[in-house]
């Protein structure tokens, strides 16, 4: 039997006071403004320093050198960062609600590891080099591991602890496999090592167009599950009393998380902490209501991803640090702080 939810989460079904709803709406609007500013910074700032007037000219007027740098490189990676960040944040929030486990995310439950193992297998043994192949292999790997974690965790009788343990064990095994392949395959080592770190540097218009349909479907599905996931988060008995279809909700939630994280991982490689950390931060000021958590995660997760990408381009000029490295460096200490604050609040 799944563990019961905390008392404060049970009170979520009561309508929020008008003032609180207005504050949440205002906060969401401010978050959108912050996202726009970070996106503009992502376009204006890069490993190669360009004056703002040249950035503007390259974005709207020039098809030469500046246009190539700004449009073909910075604009494409900014758009991909927006899409991938939203996908990772949404999938993390959905999985945390589904398992009632604040440590759940695509990485800790093994979904990212499954996608990564499948893509690396495609590169090494099948010679796949196009995003078309990456996407499908990533989806198969993510879906297979998601199903395996659910089965090992007890299926309908799964508990958050069992799911976390199953995901951790499978992730460890798959990452061991990744390391073994990378060591033994010298020809593909550079490509695999770059991809498995997680980066937006390979973004292109074709990449965006190929993953966009999957990310759009996954986003709409995840946002549409806010109400039933609210019921599921309050426990099986309460969810049934509220008329929720538990099996259908769980299946659709796993599908949404798999599609979102699989597509994001296929396009960018595995990027840690975005889906884990952002829902924690969002929940601290929205409360447990997923009707607000999911939209906030959709907006603020790209803020973290694009912000980390900008930092990676600035600190290592004229080269750059991959965004997966920066999110790990930022996410580790922040997550420890969040856990300590949560523990202090419970004492």
């Amino acid at each position: 039997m799944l563990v019961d939810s905390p008392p404060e989460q049970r009170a979520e079904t009561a309508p929020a006071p008008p003032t609180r709803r207005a504050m949440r709406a205002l906060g969401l609007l401010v978050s959108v403004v912050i996202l726009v500013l970070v996106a503009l910074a992502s376009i204006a700032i890069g490993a190669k320093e360009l004056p703002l007037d040249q950035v503007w000219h390259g974005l709207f007027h020039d098809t030469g050198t500046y246009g190539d740098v700004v449009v073909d490189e910075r604009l494409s990676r900014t758009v991909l960062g927006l899409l991938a960040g939203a996908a990772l944040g949404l999938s993390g929030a959905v999985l945390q609600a589904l398992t009632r486990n604040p440590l759940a995310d695509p990485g800790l439950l093994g979904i990212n590891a499954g996608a990564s193992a499948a893509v690396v297998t495609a590169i090494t043994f099948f010679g796949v080099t196009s995003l078309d192949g990456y996407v499908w292999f990533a989806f198969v790997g993510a879906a297979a591991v998601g199903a395996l974690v659910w089965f090992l965790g007890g299926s309908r009788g799964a508990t958050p602890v069992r799911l976390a343990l199953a995901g951790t064990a499978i992730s460890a095994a798959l990452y061991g496999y990744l390391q073994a392949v990378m060591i033994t395959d010298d020809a593909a080592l550079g490509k695999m090592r770059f991809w498995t770190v997680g980066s937006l540097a390979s973004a292109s218009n074709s990449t965006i167009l190929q993953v966009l349909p999957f990310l759009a479907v996954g986003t709409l599905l995840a946002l549409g599950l806010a109400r039933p996931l609210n019921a599921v988060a309050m426990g099986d008995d309460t969810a049934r009393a509220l008329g929720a279809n538990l099996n259908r909700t769980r299946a659709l939630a796993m599908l949404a998380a798999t599609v979102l994280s699989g597509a994001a991982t296929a396009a960018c490689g595995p990027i840690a902490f975005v889906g884990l950390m952002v829902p924690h931060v969002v929940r601290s000021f929205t409360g447990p209501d997923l009707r607000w958590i999911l939209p906030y995660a959709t907006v603020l997760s790209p803020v973290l991803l694009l912000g980390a990408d900008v930092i990676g381009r600035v600190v290592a000029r004229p080269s750059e640090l991959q965004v997966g490295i920066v999110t790990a460096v930022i996410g580790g200490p922040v997550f420890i702080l969040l856990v300590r604050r949560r523990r202090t609040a419970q004492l």
Side-chain angles (χ1 to χ4, degrees):
M1 180 180 295
L2 291 171
V3 296
D4 202 0
S5 57
E8 62 270 17
Q9 203 167 31
R10 300 186 184 189
E12 179 274 321
T13 53
T19 302
R20 187 175 184 184
R21 289 200 299 270
M23 291 300 296
R24 287 171 171 173
L26 179 60
L28 187 59
L29 179 60
V30 172
S31 300
V32 172
V33 173
I34 294 173
L35 177 58
V36 171
L37 294 176
V38 173
L40 292 175
S42 178
I43 296 173
I45 302 172
K48 180 178 181 179
E49 295 188 56
L50 291 177
L52 290 180
D53 61 330
Q54 294 179 357
V55 173
W56 178 269
H57 194 267
L59 188 61
F60 293 103
H61 303 290
D62 195 358
T63 59
T65 302
Y66 298 143
D68 293 341
V69 172
V70 175
V71 177
D72 295 341
E73 297 180 15
R74 295 186 187 177
L75 183 60
S76 295
R77 74 189 293 168
T78 298
V79 174
L80 183 60
L82 290 170
L83 296 174
L88 293 172
L90 265 179
S91 61
V94 167
L95 287 174
Q96 288 177 16
L98 176 66
T99 62
R100 298 200 297 276
N101 181 0
L103 296 180
D105 82 329
L108 290 180
L109 290 187
I111 295 177
N112 282 353
S116 301
V119 170
V120 169
T121 299
I123 294 173
T124 304
F125 298 107
F126 298 100
V128 178
T129 58
S130 68
L131 183 64
D132 291 334
Y134 287 177
V135 169
W136 293 111
F137 273 92
F139 281 165
V140 171
V145 170
L148 183 59
V149 168
W150 189 255
F151 174 77
L152 294 178
S155 188
R156 296 182 181 181
T159 66
V161 174
R162 287 180 179 178
L163 290 172
L165 290 175
T168 300
I170 293 173
S171 294
L174 289 177
Y175 281 123
Y177 163 75
L178 292 177
Q179 294 300 319
V181 172
M182 292 171 66
I183 290 173
T184 57
D185 189 346
D186 293 334
L189 175 60
K191 187 176 183 64
M192 291 190 308
R193 182 171 54 189
F194 180 80
W195 186 86
T196 54
V197 167
S199 174
L200 298 176
S202 60
S204 65
N205 292 334
S206 61
T207 301
I208 295 168
L209 292 176
Q210 290 179 70
V211 300
L212 183 59
F214 303 106
L215 296 177
V217 170
T219 299
L220 292 175
L221 182 58
L223 293 175
L225 289 171
R227 288 182 180 274
L229 281 175
N230 271 339
V232 169
M234 290 186 285
D236 289 6
D237 293 337
T238 303
R240 291 191 185 97
L242 293 173
N245 187 322
L246 292 177
N247 292 334
R248 183 177 64 186
T249 300
R250 288 169 177 162
L252 291 176
M254 285 297 294
L255 176 63
T258 299
V259 169
L260 289 168
S261 60
T265 303
C268 309
I271 298 175
F273 282 107
V274 175
L276 176 64
M277 185 168 55
V278 173
H280 270 282
V281 175
V282 168
R283 198 176 294 111
S284 66
F285 56 83
T286 65
D289 191 347
L290 285 158
R291 292 171 298 181
W292 289 101
I293 291 176
L294 296 182
Y296 266 98
T298 304
V299 175
L300 291 179
S301 296
V303 171
L304 172 61
L305 188 60
L306 287 177
D309 189 44
V310 171
I311 292 173
R313 282 182 267 171
V314 171
V315 298
R317 282 175 173 169
S319 184
E320 66 177 73
L321 289 177
Q322 283 72 30
V323 67
I325 297 175
V326 180
T327 57
V329 171
I330 296 174
V334 172
F335 185 66
I336 292 173
L337 177 62
L338 290 172
V339 172
R340 287 180 60 85
R341 288 182 60 185
R342 182 183 178 90
R343 183 180 177 183
T344 302
Q346 291 176 344
L347 294 178

